């Protein structure tokens, strides 16, 4: 587990733009039970989360169509919430960072770490925007 003071600015990078922080399994289930679309970002302390994932997720929200709900869990910190979120992402293997778009609780789009690592934030945002245009 990472110290709270270390991850605070990384959490705030998403929560400051409206992402709901989910810290329990119950909170994850409640977020995914909401009607409409929900983007879940599995946040991380790694460099690709800082350089690619978080900026890409934030840029994607500039699209005309966007998810009804946006949420985040933090790998290495909120174990119960991350495990529950990943259970909803099956058949994809656990990875962080990653991003999943759900529609009425059903997984409809997934960006795994290998889709994020080494790719510019703009490309990640474009991928998410395409998913929003198809599902939101």
């Amino acid at each position: 587990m990472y110290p709270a003071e270390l991850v605070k600015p990384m959490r705030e990078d998403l929560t400051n733009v409206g992402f709901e922080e989910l810290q329990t399994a119950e909170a994850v289930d409640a977020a995914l039970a909401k009607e409409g679309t929900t983007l879940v970002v599995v946040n991380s302390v790694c460099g690709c989360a800082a350089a690619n994932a978080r900026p890409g997720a934030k840029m994607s929200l500039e699209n005309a169509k966007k998810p009804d709900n946006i949420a985040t869990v933090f790998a290495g910190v909120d174990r119960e919430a991350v495990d529950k979120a990943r259970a909803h992402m099956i058949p994809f293997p656990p990875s962080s960072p990653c991003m999943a778009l759900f529609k009425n609780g059903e997984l409809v789009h997934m960006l795994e770490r290998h889709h994020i690592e080494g790719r510019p934030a703009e490309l990640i945002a474009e991928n998410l925007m395409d998913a929003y245009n198809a599902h939101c």
Side-chain angles (χ1 to χ4, degrees), residues 77-100:
V77 179
D78 303 320
R79 180 176 211 94
E80 178 188 326
V82 171
D83 288 349
K84 181 55 93 168
R86 287 177 172 161
H88 286 279
M89 296 173 189
I90 291 173
F92 296 94
S95 67
S96 57
C98 69
M99 301 176 202

Side-chain angles (χ1 to χ4, degrees), residues 31-135:
L32 295 180
K34 293 178 182 175
E35 196 169 313
T37 51
T38 302
L39 175 68
V40 176
V41 175
V42 178
N43 202 349
S44 171
V45 299
C46 72
C48 63
N52 313 88
R54 290 191 300 267
K58 292 186 299 186
M59 277 188 248
S60 76
L61 300 176
E62 297 170 12
N63 197 44
K65 290 186 176 183
K66 53 189 146 207
D68 300 306
N69 310 290
I70 53 176
T72 182
V73 295
F74 207 107
V77 179
D78 303 320
R79 180 176 211 94
E80 178 188 326
V82 171
D83 288 349
K84 181 55 93 168
R86 287 177 172 161
H88 286 279
M89 296 173 189
I90 291 173
F92 296 94
S95 67
S96 57
C98 69
M99 301 176 202
L101 182 65
F102 296 87
K103 185 170 187 173
N104 299 323
E106 300 274 330
L107 180 64
V108 294
H109 186 75
M110 184 76 185
L111 275 174
E112 298 175 83
R113 179 186 174 99
H114 69 89
H115 297 121
I116 295 168
E117 193 172 29
R119 290 184 171 77
E122 294 80 10
L123 188 60
I124 293 161
E126 184 178 302
N127 181 295
L128 289 171
M129 288 177 188
D130 287 345
Y132 302 162
N133 290 338
H135 300 288

Side-chain angles (χ1 to χ4, degrees), residues 1-4 7-8 10-12 15 19-31 40-41 71-85:
M1 299 297 264
Y2 297 106
V7 300
K8 185 177 187 275
M10 297 173 213
R11 287 182 186 272
E12 291 174 346
T15 59
F19 280 81
E20 177 186 2
E21 191 169 39
L22 309 175
Q23 295 182 312
T24 66
E26 295 79 17
V28 171
D29 283 340
V40 176
V41 175
T72 182
V73 295
F74 207 107
V77 179
D78 303 320
R79 180 176 211 94
E80 178 188 326
V82 171
D83 288 349
K84 181 55 93 168

